Amino acid sequence: MTTQAATFTTPATSESALEPCCLVIFGASGDLTARMLLPALYNLALDRRLPPRFAMVGFARTEWTDEEFRDHARKAVEEHSRRKVDPDVWSTFASALHYMHGGYNDPTSHDRLSEKLEAVQEAHNTGGNHLFYLAVPPTAFDDIVAQLGRGPYGRSREGAGWSRVIVEKPFGTDLKSARDLNHLLHSVFHEDDVYRIDHYLGKETVQNILVFRFANGIFEPIWNRRYVDHVQITVAESLGIEGRGEYYDHSGALRDIMQNHMMQLLSLLAMEPPLAVNGRSVRNEKVKVLHAVRLFERDEVALSTARGQYSSGWVAGAEVPGYREEEGIPKTSATETYVAARFYVDSWRWADVPFYMRTAKRLPKRSTEIAVFFKRAPRLLFQDYTDEPNLEPNVLSIRIQPNEGISLKFLTKVPGSPMRLRPANMDFLYGASFVTQAPSAYETLLLDALRGDATLFTRSDEVEAAWTITDRIIDGWRAMPEPGFPNYEAGSWGPACADDLIAKDGRQWRRL
Ligand code: BG6
């Protein structure tokens, strides 16, 4: 190995304690590595937040040399980084990048990888610590984990540096496959060393749910069934399936977003205060919420869920094809691109409070939001001053993205007489309150994995609990007649059955 060791000077913060490490990315020539991982690593280097002794080895099938990989990495960072490339930082960063090609299931390739890792460890003085990143399609997980188990990694390395593994989503396609994958991972790694990514947890606004709820004294007393009427969680996307037809048609909106990102939002919103802000305490409380979600019986699924698929239409002034006309999608596909459901969390705090959740592709705009609707004040005093049969409720909305912020809606008196009431908003906007640009979710998550902090990663029991809930819906849908798809136009707010789902409870979806 002729490469000179790259030395990353870290600022004088707790991160100066970051242990040396070699990051190994499987799937290094792929899209995720180019769009997310390399830019995130480069931005960590720019902020001097990588461990002082750090190296990265990319592994994939494409036949590249170290130099070719570095050129590829530079282009990827130039295209996708949130900040410009600084030539000095780049040259130190690039000297830490290495590459080898091979087959994921080929023992000889993995033997060569082990040799390469030893050489890199020696050259960069990374002390035998390894962070493996599975940035590959799930079909390759089994082979890679089995090969890592054969090598000197995982549990077998105890005392010889640590090994951690980051696993990308989707984590299984149902409870059984998720359990099998957990089982496989546990045969090589300790659960504490398994980092299951849900990139929503790396978003600043999602992390802020904990701070908002538990660092302020005024919200917790009213955060329960006595004051909350219902909650709406929306993940609306204007995008379609972006060329991912093959994956998406086997997944659908339920598995792609509701099972993971939305269940995580639900658990953070509904959890009890943790004993401490660490991986064990936070995840202990989150998983209790998922265990408390009422499971649908088969015949309840039709009443408590709605699904849809988009036809052609107009989004943001452009004409877009219907789902069944997208590349790689069968003309008769029954995959849902819209799902809505009404859940109950059967805990003392939330008994009988409905949690309405919806997510879809090709809605009019991109918006992820949690809205907590409080119980209304009695109309008694103001019945002569409003034509509405009820006073509008206070709504606390947490905007995860875009226009990140939090608003509280309340009623005010319109100046002048006669007395009239109108809702107004108290607004907090991240953009207006903080000048610093937030790190990307992948920067946060990679740094946490390097640090050994799993708080923002999904634990095996959480993943299984979320699949237990989701499997009941899949099972109920299977027992129902084929849905009449497509049933909503691209650029509309979804199918009529989703409006009916909430309307029969006397409520409506919040306008975003
Ligand atoms: C991914 C889904 O997990 O999240 C995509 O597979 C979706 O279908 C994406 O578009 C949304 O992420 P974000 O960060 O843009 O909300």
Side-chain angles (χ1 to χ4, degrees):
M1 178 85 28
T2 51
T3 322
Q4 255 202 322
T7 306
F8 296 92
T9 44
T10 46
T13 64
S14 58
E15 271 136 43
S16 48
L18 272 175
E19 292 176 300
C21 170
C22 177
L23 169 68
V24 183
I25 299 184
F26 292 100
S29 61
D31 200 44
L32 179 75
T33 305
R35 283 190 309 112
M36 300 293 177
L37 306 185
L38 287 165
L41 289 168
Y42 171 72
N43 277 281
L44 289 174
L46 198 57
D47 288 335
R48 297 188 293 144
R49 302 187 92 185
L50 285 177
R53 286 181 278 136
F54 172 82
M56 191 216 114
V57 176
F59 181 101
R61 281 181 294 236
T62 312
E63 294 192 17
W64 279 335
T65 60
D66 280 0
E67 277 318 313
E68 282 168 326
F69 179 63
R70 287 172 188 165
D71 287 347
H72 164 80
R74 170 106 191 202
K75 282 188 204 114
V77 172
E78 276 167 1
E79 193 175 343
H80 299 291
S81 165
R82 65 186 171 92
R83 290 177 296 188
K84 282 215 166 80
V85 174
D86 173 311
D88 290 339
V89 176
W90 180 261
S91 80
T92 312
F93 178 67
S95 65
L97 304 182
H98 301 268
Y99 183 83
M100 71 160 279
H101 71 89
Y104 296 126
N105 63 352
D106 171 30
T108 319
S109 302
H110 283 266
D111 290 344
R112 284 195 295 116
L113 176 64
S114 295
E115 285 162 22
K116 177 118 182 168
L117 292 186
E118 264 179 44
V120 168
Q121 174 181 330
E122 208 167 295
H124 292 269
N125 208 1
T126 48
N129 297 328
H130 291 99
L131 175 60
F132 297 101
Y133 198 125
L134 307 189
V136 289
T139 44
F141 288 175
D142 289 21
D143 286 333
I144 296 173
V145 175
Q147 291 298 331
L148 288 177
R150 221 176 45 83
Y153 308 110
R155 292 166 183 276
S156 55
R157 294 204 90 210
E158 267 156 41
W162 46 255
S163 300
R164 300 179 189 139
V165 62
I166 302 182
V167 188
E168 264 296 331
K169 80 173 270 262
F171 196 93
T173 53
D174 56 12
L175 178 60
K176 184 182 175 308
S177 53
R179 274 201 181 131
D180 290 348
L181 185 52
N182 276 332
H183 190 71
L184 175 79
L185 287 163
H186 292 159
S187 68
V188 178
F189 296 94
H190 288 291
E191 170 61 23
D192 287 350
D193 294 324
V194 181
Y195 291 70
R196 296 171 193 79
I197 286 242
D198 182 315
H199 78 281
Y200 260 57
L201 292 176
K203 292 183 192 277
E204 286 291 326
T205 42
V206 174
Q207 293 172 60
N208 192 44
I209 297 173
L210 274 189
V211 177
F212 179 76
R213 286 193 54 201
F214 302 125
N216 296 296
I218 62 170
F219 301 111
E220 231 7 58
I222 56 169
W223 210 255
N224 56 52
R225 65 191 302 272
R226 287 182 64 193
Y227 298 95
V228 175
D229 176 74
H230 75 282
V231 175
Q232 294 188 19
I233 305 180
T234 305
V235 176
E237 295 190 280
S238 54
L239 291 178
I241 51 168
E242 302 295 295
R244 295 191 305 154
E246 201 184 314
Y247 154 75
Y248 196 86
D249 204 53
H250 289 103
S251 165
L254 176 66
R255 289 184 173 96
D256 186 44
I257 300 233
M258 194 173 272
Q259 184 274 340
N260 39 75
H261 307 326
M262 298 189 82
M263 288 297 161
Q264 290 296 326
L265 295 179
L266 171 69
S267 58
L268 286 167
L269 192 80
M271 70 193 268
E272 296 300 318
L275 294 178
V277 182
N278 60 35
R280 172 187 282 258
S281 303
V282 171
R283 297 188 299 177
N284 281 352
E285 295 308 329
K286 279 169 59 201
V287 78
K288 282 186 205 163
V289 174
L290 298 177
H291 284 147
V293 170
R294 194 183 301 166
L295 297 177
F296 297 132
E297 294 304 330
R298 200 175 267 184
D299 57 353
E300 284 169 340
V301 172
L303 298 172
S304 300
T305 69
R307 55 186 162 150
Q309 186 192 77
Y310 61 83
S311 62
S312 58
W314 291 79
V315 179
E319 193 166 16
V320 297
Y323 177 72
R324 290 176 178 177
E325 288 121 48
E326 303 265 17
E327 200 188 318
I329 304 299
K331 295 286 165 260
T332 53
S333 170
T335 298
E336 81 290 350
T337 58
Y338 183 110
V339 57
R342 180 191 58 198
F343 293 106
Y344 286 99
V345 177
D346 284 338
S347 63
W348 186 267
R349 184 191 285 261
W350 295 114
D352 302 325
V353 176
F355 287 78
Y356 300 97
M357 316 226 290
R358 58 176 167 163
T359 180
K361 301 274 184 205
R362 288 293 189 220
L363 295 186
K365 63 186 211 190
R366 174 174 185 247
S367 175
T368 297
E369 187 208 66
I370 299 170
V372 180
F373 287 70
F374 291 92
K375 290 190 171 157
R376 298 166 199 267
R379 188 166 168 261
L380 232 47
L381 289 181
F382 298 104
Q383 51 197 350
D384 297 337
Y385 307 113
T386 165
D387 299 332
E388 302 296 324
N390 294 306
L391 292 181
E392 284 206 33
N394 298 117
V395 181
L396 182 87
S397 64
I398 302 174
R399 287 187 305 278
I400 305 295
Q401 63 190 23
N403 304 325
E404 291 78 1
I406 299 177
S407 303
L408 179 65
K409 186 174 90 173
F410 56 96
L411 283 172
T412 51
K413 177 182 173 300
V414 178
S417 58
M419 169 116 93
R420 277 188 303 126
L421 307 184
R422 211 178 64 190
N425 274 320
M426 259 189 314
D427 267 328
F428 152 65
L429 270 171
Y430 277 79
S433 298
F434 300 108
V435 281
T436 48
Q437 201 188 38
S440 73
Y442 276 92
E443 284 167 54
T444 303
L445 295 173
L446 275 166
L447 186 59
D448 280 3
L450 287 166
R451 268 206 295 246
D453 180 352
T455 313
L456 300 179
F457 294 83
T458 318
R459 210 166 58 185
S460 59
D461 52 352
E462 284 181 86
V463 151
E464 292 185 13
W467 275 121
T468 303
I469 301 163
T470 314
D471 267 12
R472 292 295 185 105
I473 301 178
I474 297 170
D475 190 44
W477 283 352
R478 271 201 201 112
M480 282 160 60
E482 281 277 296
F485 285 168
N487 61 353
Y488 72 100
E489 209 175 293
S492 73
W493 276 105
C497 57
D499 294 338
D500 296 345
L501 171 76
I502 189 165
K504 66 182 183 239
D505 295 344
R507 303 188 176 98
Q508 56 188 15
W509 294 111
R510 187 173 144 81
R511 268 213 229 139
L512 297 171

